[in-house]
């Protein structure tokens, strides 16, 4: 709380300093901004899709997904009507699948309540599923030119450094104070560009993990943390809870060139996606084979793999198991390579085993 009070005092003292920043930042943005597909024709739909994809995902990883998504679903209406399998396939590998499910819920709400156009109002945008204050601010300012801030982790980091504030940026009062500050800093014109310039600075210059490129920074002369040589220590964030570790055994069960896939439950982690047989614990080859319950022709041990979710870490081991006569029950299918590639969405948590499966298909040719 002491740090929050200090931050509030520091904000009052910094008004003059902060007023100098927008023109410097906009000039830098005009010369240095990366050319990104969502910055061309920034329609509300295009900005929205890009902002959702960019949550927890790097720009380079998003690029191919963005183009593919927009050409398959070019409008809010197309997104609202897309079958779930199509939606999940377009998102396959991006992770955090609830993002795309919420986008579809929001698209349906936009069709029903807003005549198919994302509303030109921060307050209405933030009511839509999956759209938080940051995304609403980004769409409202970039696509509609509305005077609202868009404050994400990048912006919180930059502001902590400008102000040399050690207030914990994960605390809601700190975030609110910074949102109010950016609101005051918004220039009279080019609000969307200003918000994007802040994001761009955070993504390309004022980098996280103690690695800012201060020598390339357009506002280095106004930055208190740089002056004191402590930019790398900021922002301050409360430590996250340690992740829970889970051991899993992944079975690539194959027969006559097909792989057995099962559908995950409709709720919870990776809800509704397809996966290989996936068992709790680390099983021996014998235990894994016994689990199939049918004659097994061969079992090959595959390498270990891990996948980190936000709260859980999977430590996996795997086996390639050749069987014959396995009749799938429940939500299971046998998929050949074409069906696997075109129809079924298998999350990137299994990517090591998916690579080995493709290798298996390659070897079969
Ligand atoms: S001077 Fe360094 S720490 Fe300060 S805003 Fe620029 S890059 Fe970030």
């Amino acid at each position: 709380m002491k740090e929050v009070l200090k931050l509030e005092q520091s904000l009052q003292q910094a008004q003059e300093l902060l007023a100098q920043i927008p023109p410097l930042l906009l000039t830098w943005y005009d010369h240095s901004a990366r050319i990104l597909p969502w910055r061309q024709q920034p329609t509300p739909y295009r900005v929205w899709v890009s902002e959702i994809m960019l949550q927890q995902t790097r720009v380079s990883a998003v690029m191919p997904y963005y183009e593919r998504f927009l050409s398959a679903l070019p409008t809010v209406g197309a997104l609202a009507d897309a079958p779930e399998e199509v939606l999940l396939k377009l998102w396959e590998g991006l992770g955090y699948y609830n993002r795309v499910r919420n986008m579809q819920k929001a698209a349906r709400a936009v069709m029903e309540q807003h005549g198919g156009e994302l509303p030109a109002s921060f307050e209405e945008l933030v009511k839509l599923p999956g759209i938080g204050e940051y995304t609403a601010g980004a769409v409202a300012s970039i696509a509609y030119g509305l005077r609202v801030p868009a404050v994400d982790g990048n912006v919180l980091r930059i502001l902590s450094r400008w102000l040399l504030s050690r207030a914990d940026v994960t605390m809601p009062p700190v975030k609110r104070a910074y949102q109010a500050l950016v609101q005051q800093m918004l220039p009279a014109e080019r609000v969307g560009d200003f918000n994007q310039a802040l994001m761009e600075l955070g993504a390309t210059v004022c980098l996280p993990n103690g690695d800012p490129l201060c020598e390339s920074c357009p506002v280095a002369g106004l930055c208190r943390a740089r002056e004191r040589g402590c930019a790398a220590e900021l922002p301050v964030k409360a430590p996250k809870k340690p992740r829970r570790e889970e051991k899993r055994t992944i079975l690539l069960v194959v027969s006559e060139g097909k792989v057995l896939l099962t559908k995950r439950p409709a709720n919870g982690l990776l809800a509704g996606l397809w996966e290989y047989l996936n068992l709790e614990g680390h099983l021996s080859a014998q235990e894994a084979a016994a689990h199939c319950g049918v004659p097994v022709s061969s079992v090959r041990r595959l390498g270990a793999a891990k996948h980190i979710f936000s709260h859980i870490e999977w430590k996996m081991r795997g086996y390639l198991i050749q069987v014959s006569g396995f009749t799938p029950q429940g939500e299971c299918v046998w998929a050949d390579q074409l069906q696997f590639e075109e129809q079924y969405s298998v999350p990137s948590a299994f990517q090591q085993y998916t690579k080995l499966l493709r290798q298996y298909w390659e070897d079969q040719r």
Side-chain angles (χ1 to χ4, degrees):
M1 214 57 206
K2 208 169 81 194
E3 288 299 336
V4 178
L5 288 174
K6 263 201 214 165
L7 170 64
E8 279 167 4
Q9 284 163 3
S10 155
L11 292 182
Q12 282 163 13
Q13 291 158 8
Q15 300 299 326
E16 214 172 296
L17 174 111
L18 295 172
Q20 298 172 55
I21 286 179
L24 294 174
L25 213 48
L26 281 169
T27 307
W28 168 79
Y29 183 71
D30 288 340
H31 293 109
S32 310
R34 293 165 295 173
I35 295 170
L36 299 174
W38 43 91
R39 289 190 178 147
Q40 325 300 317
Q41 305 168 339
T43 64
Y45 181 62
R46 289 169 63 87
V47 174
W48 176 41
V49 172
S50 70
E51 290 298 339
I52 299 292
M53 282 191 172
L54 286 164
Q55 290 168 8
Q56 282 120 350
T57 313
R58 280 172 293 114
V59 164
S60 56
V62 163
M63 294 276 220
Y65 283 93
Y66 180 76
E67 302 288 2
R68 201 168 52 129
F69 193 94
L70 279 187
S71 62
L73 308 174
T75 60
V76 177
L79 171 56
D81 292 341
E84 187 182 52
E85 289 293 319
V86 170
L87 213 57
L88 295 177
K89 196 69 194 166
L90 287 167
W91 209 264
E92 185 184 41
L94 267 180
Y96 303 98
Y97 287 81
N98 273 347
R99 290 184 291 174
V100 73
R101 288 203 167 96
N102 280 333
M103 277 179 78
Q104 186 168 57
K105 285 184 200 154
R108 288 177 178 162
V110 169
M111 296 307 290
E112 282 164 21
Q113 298 159 25
H114 301 284
E117 289 289 334
L118 279 153
S121 148
F122 175 86
E123 290 72 22
E124 290 301 318
L125 283 166
V126 89
K127 286 182 196 162
L128 294 167
I131 298 193
E133 290 186 351
Y134 165 75
T135 307
V139 173
S141 64
I142 299 169
Y144 290 120
L146 299 179
R147 289 182 56 76
V148 282
V151 175
D152 68 350
N154 279 326
V155 178
L156 293 172
R157 178 172 66 255
I158 295 169
L159 293 170
S160 298
R161 290 173 175 174
W162 282 348
L163 296 168
L164 186 51
S165 166
R166 294 190 187 277
D168 177 353
V169 293
T170 63
M171 288 172 64
V174 174
K175 197 170 169 197
R176 279 199 297 276
Y178 282 140
Q179 279 169 331
L181 177 71
V182 178
Q183 178 79 56
Q184 279 174 39
M185 289 176 75
L186 292 174
E189 287 173 2
R190 302 187 63 197
V191 174
D193 283 350
F194 175 73
N195 280 338
Q196 290 192 87
L198 273 175
M199 297 169 199
E200 189 75 358
L201 190 74
T204 62
V205 179
C206 195
L207 301 174
N209 305 324
D211 223 4
L213 307 174
C214 300
E215 64 288 354
S216 314
C217 180
V219 291
L222 300 170
C223 179
R224 291 178 174 173
R226 181 182 189 241
E227 195 186 319
R228 293 277 186 90
C230 61
E233 297 162 21
L234 298 169
V236 170
K237 284 185 193 173
K240 285 186 186 161
K241 280 193 200 154
R243 290 190 185 93
R244 193 175 77 240
E245 217 175 86
E246 282 185 7
K247 290 179 181 160
R248 317 285 314 178
T249 300
I250 311 304
L251 310 187
L252 296 187
V253 180
V254 292
S255 178
E256 297 169 12
K258 296 183 176 179
V259 65
L260 189 69
L261 297 175
T262 67
K263 196 167 194 180
R264 289 185 65 85
N267 295 306
L269 187 70
L270 306 175
L273 295 165
W274 293 89
E275 64 179 356
Y276 312 111
L277 281 191
N278 175 352
L279 309 167
E280 270 181 39
H282 280 168
L283 274 58
S284 67
Q286 224 174 5
E287 288 167 331
H291 183 85
C292 294
V294 289
V296 166
S297 350
S298 69
V299 179
R300 176 153 66 89
R301 184 160 185 170
L302 305 170
K306 70 173 179 178
H307 187 79
I308 294 174
F309 299 94
S310 46
H311 305 300
I312 306 172
E313 179 172 342
W314 276 0
K315 296 221 156 156
M316 294 173 278
R317 69 164 57 162
Y319 298 96
L320 180 75
I321 302 184
Q322 296 256 13
V323 300
S324 51
F326 192 132
T327 309
Q329 290 172 352
E331 289 266 50
C332 290
V333 292
W334 285 108
D336 62 25
Q337 188 169 11
L338 190 65
Q339 292 165 325
F340 179 86
E341 303 293 0
E342 292 187 354
Q343 258 174 273
Y344 298 103
S345 306
V346 175
S348 57
F350 302 105
Q351 64 183 344
Q352 293 286 93
Y353 298 106
T354 298
K355 268 189 217 158
L356 294 167
L357 176 64
R358 291 197 176 111
Q359 188 59 53
Y360 160 79
W361 273 320
E362 197 65 35
D363 296 344
Q364 295 290 299
R365 285 196 192 115

